Amino acid sequence: MLMRQETWLQDGTMGELLVGKHVKYIITVEKRKDDFESVVMEHLRLNGAYWGLTTLDIMGKLAAVEQDEVISWVMQCQHESGGFGGNIGNDPHVLYTLSAIQVLALFDKIHVLDIDMVSNCILLHVTFIIVFELDIAGLQNEDGSFSGDIWGEVDTRFSYISILSLALLHRLDKVDVGKAVKYILSCKNVDGGFGCTPGAESHAGQIFCCVAALAITGSLHHVDKDLLGWWLCERQVKSGGLNGRPEKLPDVCYSCYIEISIDKSVLSFTDSHVVASQVCYSWWVLSSLIMIDRVHWIDKGKLVKFILDCQDKENGGISDRPDDAVDVFHTYFGVAGLSLLEYPGIKPIDPAYALPVDVVNQVMLGR
């Protein structure tokens, strides 16, 4: 595997990651507030902050933003229930709550949340949640699944998001981990993959969520790594990119896949634009392959080239596939995918926690 990596690193035709242009692009997007795109996406702004800030950190440029200003804004997104909304004044949801935790983790500021107070509170009913982490714990259902909010939608995305959130807060003991794992395993299919609910079609995004949740809970031994690895490696197409399901086009996001928590009204797994071969698939597939130790089953060099070809070489940013419009979502997944591929000059990212390794070490190990 190391020989293959050295070969593509020495290939002068591979291209380079345009760090300076991507930093400028992300900062510009952050400052835009009044154009059409910003208005229609304002309910996802906390997710966008996570994507953009994590990208900056991976590239070693987090200092380009004002830390105190970011943290102040994040805390203004906290709802009186304890959870976080996607923007100031928006309803809380577990996916935005995770983004808030992750952004605070990037700045080593999780302590601004009163975790002790949270853990000592008694929850009587999910609708009247007073405290942050119990808001998440209270969303676990009897069968071990998790709902995203008080309205009850169930999805393995929410299992992963809840488990990751509580792990980062050191409060996994607030939920029944055994039941959570059992539910996730009930979503496993005969092809080795996982769906959003029991019996649902295998999809790279859902596979990432389930595999990462199993990794965090120390339950990866339940996965048939060869069977799942075969399904995942078949997602690589001739261009080098990865798709999310059979017979679909590649997408950069499948080289990674973390914030599957994006609002379905904006980005759905079944949307014809998304299921094509795109940059974001580079994360979802790649991170899963790394967690089950089967990443050597794909051509890493071709995937690197695919991601780099999706860059806007003039204005910065990364698109879903070459020559499409860029966005911060695919910019994050592209750079994160390159990190997983050990691209030189950028920080390593943890495939399960979807945060830079040094940030995970600081949060989980205090170092």
Side-chain angles (χ1 to χ4, degrees):
M1 193 166 90
L2 289 176
M3 285 182 62
R4 289 183 63 190
Q5 183 187 45
E6 289 173 0
T7 298
W8 63 257
L9 282 175
Q10 294 170 3
D11 185 351
T13 65
M14 186 61 69
E16 65 175 327
L17 180 65
L18 306 174
V19 173
K21 290 184 181 294
H22 297 324
V23 171
K24 183 178 180 180
Y25 167 73
I26 291 169
I27 297 301
T28 300
V29 169
E30 187 277 330
K31 291 181 178 179
R32 285 203 317 250
K33 299 283 197 307
D34 300 324
D35 62 0
F36 176 77
E37 290 181 356
S38 298
V39 171
V40 298
M41 298 290 283
E42 74 150 9
H43 65 295
L44 295 174
R45 197 161 188 84
L46 193 46
N47 288 150
Y50 159 74
W51 299 326
L53 293 168
T54 305
T55 305
L56 291 176
D57 197 16
I58 295 170
M59 297 188 299
K61 302 296 182 181
L62 189 59
V65 298
E66 176 53 52
Q67 172 179 307
D68 292 341
E69 183 179 330
V70 172
I71 294 171
S72 173
W73 174 78
V74 169
M75 295 308 296
Q76 290 180 67
C77 294
Q78 188 170 23
H79 189 265
E80 61 184 6
S81 68
F84 283 76
N87 207 333
I88 298 172
N90 288 13
D91 290 340
H93 193 285
V94 68
L95 66 89
Y96 307 122
T97 299
L98 171 59
S99 288
I101 297 170
Q102 289 171 315
V103 170
L104 293 174
L106 290 173
F107 294 104
D108 193 20
K109 292 293 183 180
I110 287 183
H111 62 269
V112 302
L113 302 168
D114 193 336
I115 303 300
D116 289 334
M117 180 188 71
V118 172
S119 61
N120 291 330
C121 283
I122 298 174
L123 176 63
L124 296 178
H125 192 281
V126 69
T127 307
F128 300 105
I129 293 169
I130 303 286
V131 183
F132 189 36
E133 95 232 9
L134 286 187
D135 185 8
I136 301 171
L139 294 174
Q140 187 174 31
N141 302 306
E142 184 61 31
D143 63 358
S145 65
F146 285 84
S147 301
D149 55 20
I150 62 173
W151 307 112
E153 180 187 6
V154 171
D155 193 308
T156 47
R157 293 180 302 152
F158 306 145
S159 294
Y160 165 68
I161 293 167
S162 299
I163 287 170
L164 174 54
S165 297
L166 292 171
L168 291 170
L169 294 174
H170 298 274
R171 294 296 188 273
L172 258 181
D173 60 326
K174 296 297 180 182
V175 295
D176 190 325
V177 174
K179 276 190 175 182
V181 169
K182 185 177 180 180
Y183 178 78
I184 290 170
L185 294 176
S186 74
C187 299
K188 184 167 64 173
N189 295 317
V190 295
D191 57 13
F194 294 82
C196 59
T197 54
E201 177 186 15
S202 295
H203 184 283
Q206 305 294 161
I207 289 171
F208 162 78
C209 286
C210 293
V211 171
L214 293 174
I216 292 170
T217 57
S219 306
L220 274 180
H221 57 281
H222 292 296
V223 176
D224 186 332
K225 296 179 181 179
D226 284 342
L227 182 60
L228 177 57
W230 180 253
W231 191 96
L232 290 167
C233 76
E234 283 195 319
R235 305 282 62 78
Q236 188 163 40
V237 300
K238 290 182 179 179
S239 67
L242 300 163
N243 61 27
R245 292 180 289 159
E247 303 302 320
K248 299 299 181 179
L249 298 175
D251 182 322
V252 164
C253 64
Y254 284 119
S255 54
C256 267
Y257 196 84
I258 181 21
E259 271 310 279
I260 187 171
S261 55
I262 185 170
D263 192 316
K264 283 186 175 180
S265 66
V266 177
L267 185 62
S268 168
F269 287 150
T270 56
D271 188 287
S272 60
H273 174 68
V274 176
V275 293
S277 168
Q278 301 174 19
V279 166
C280 56
Y281 299 156
S282 305
W283 166 268
W284 301 337
V285 173
L286 185 58
S287 55
S288 298
L289 284 169
I290 289 174
M291 285 185 281
I292 63 172
D293 195 27
R294 297 296 183 273
V295 71
H296 55 288
W297 286 9
I298 63 169
D299 189 324
K300 296 165 67 177
K302 288 184 71 174
L303 179 54
V304 169
K305 186 177 187 304
F306 175 79
I307 296 173
L308 293 176
D309 286 346
C310 293
Q311 297 180 106
D312 183 332
K313 294 178 174 58
E314 293 184 7
N315 302 308
I318 297 176
S319 59
D320 55 356
R321 57 181 67 90
D323 300 321
D324 278 0
V326 303
D327 57 65
V328 69
F329 175 76
H330 288 95
T331 301
Y332 162 69
F333 283 119
V335 175
L338 291 174
S339 175
L340 289 178
L341 290 162
E342 299 178 278
Y343 188 88
I346 56 178
K347 295 168 61 173
I349 190 170
D350 187 285
Y353 287 83
L355 286 168
V357 170
D358 63 331
V359 173
V360 176
N361 287 340
Q362 175 61 40
V363 173
M364 303 306 295
L365 304 175
R367 65 184 188 199

